[in-house]
Amino acid sequence: MKRVFLDTNFIIDYFVREDYAGDAEKVMMLGDSMNMEFCISYLTVANFAYIMRKSPADKLKTLISRICEVFTVVSNTKNQILLNLQEQVSDFEDGLQYQAAVYAGCDCMITRNKKDFQFAEIPVFTPDEFLRHFKG
C-alpha cells in the first residue's frame, strides 16, 4: 500500500472549493482503486476548522467528523517542530506538514503549492501530476 500525504489546501479543495474539487475527487477515487492510504496532519484539521470558522457549528462538526473518517490523521510533534527550524523552509506551516508526512512514512505528498516544498526529499505532486503519474 502507498501512503500519500495531503496538504491542507487539498483538503480545503476537496470539501469547500468547487473549482478544484473535481481534481481532488479524482485523486480520491484513484487512491481508493489502488488501495492507497491518505494521510493528513493534525495541523490540517486545526487549519480547516479555522478557515471554516464562520460556517454553522453543526456543518463544521460534520465536516471535521467526515475528515476523520476518510483520512488517517498523523501527529505533529515537538521533534518535527525542531527539525523544521533546522531546514531552509520559506513557509513554516508547510515545513510542519512535510515533517508530519516524513514522520508518518508517506511515500509522496499532494499539494497545489509545490514551490513551497522545493526542499522535500519525497516526491511532491500537484493533484493533476499525481493523476498523470499513477494512471500511467
Side-chain angles (χ1 to χ4, degrees):
M1 175 190 334
K2 186 170 258 328
R3 291 189 100 191
V4 178
F5 188 88
L6 304 172
D7 191 20
T8 299
N9 58 46
F10 182 94
I11 302 304
I12 301 297
D13 292 351
Y14 185 67
F15 286 99
V16 180
R17 292 186 185 128
E18 291 181 20
D19 48 339
Y20 293 106
D23 281 346
E25 182 64 33
K26 289 175 189 173
V27 166
M28 295 299 295
M29 289 180 358
L30 177 64
D32 284 346
S33 72
M34 297 179 71
N35 199 32
M36 294 179 179
E37 179 182 8
F38 290 110
C39 300
I40 62 171
S41 77
Y42 166 85
L43 181 59
T44 293
V45 178
N47 288 342
F48 184 87
Y50 179 76
I51 290 166
M52 299 296 295
R53 68 190 176 278
K54 293 184 180 177
S55 297
D58 288 349
K59 178 181 178 180
L60 181 56
K61 287 179 182 179
T62 298
L63 288 171
I64 291 173
S65 292
R66 180 79 176 124
I67 287 169
C68 291
E69 289 170 14
V70 173
F71 306 102
T72 299
V73 180
V74 300
S75 63
N76 293 107
T77 66
K78 177 181 176 179
N79 190 48
Q80 291 170 20
I81 295 167
L82 296 174
L83 284 171
N84 191 42
L85 290 173
Q86 295 172 9
E87 299 290 331
Q88 298 297 318
V89 179
S90 61
D91 183 306
F92 188 76
E93 187 269 341
D94 285 338
L96 291 176
Q97 296 284 16
Y98 175 74
Q99 293 298 333
V102 170
Y103 176 81
C106 292
D107 301 296
C108 63
M109 294 181 67
I110 300 177
T111 182
R112 270 190 302 101
N113 194 18
K114 275 182 66 170
K115 67 178 173 40
D116 282 348
F117 293 94
Q118 292 179 4
F119 60 90
E121 294 180 10
I122 61 173
V124 178
F125 299 102
T126 64
D128 185 56
E129 290 170 342
F130 181 85
L131 291 168
R132 288 191 313 242
H133 182 80
F134 286 98
K135 278 188 175 180

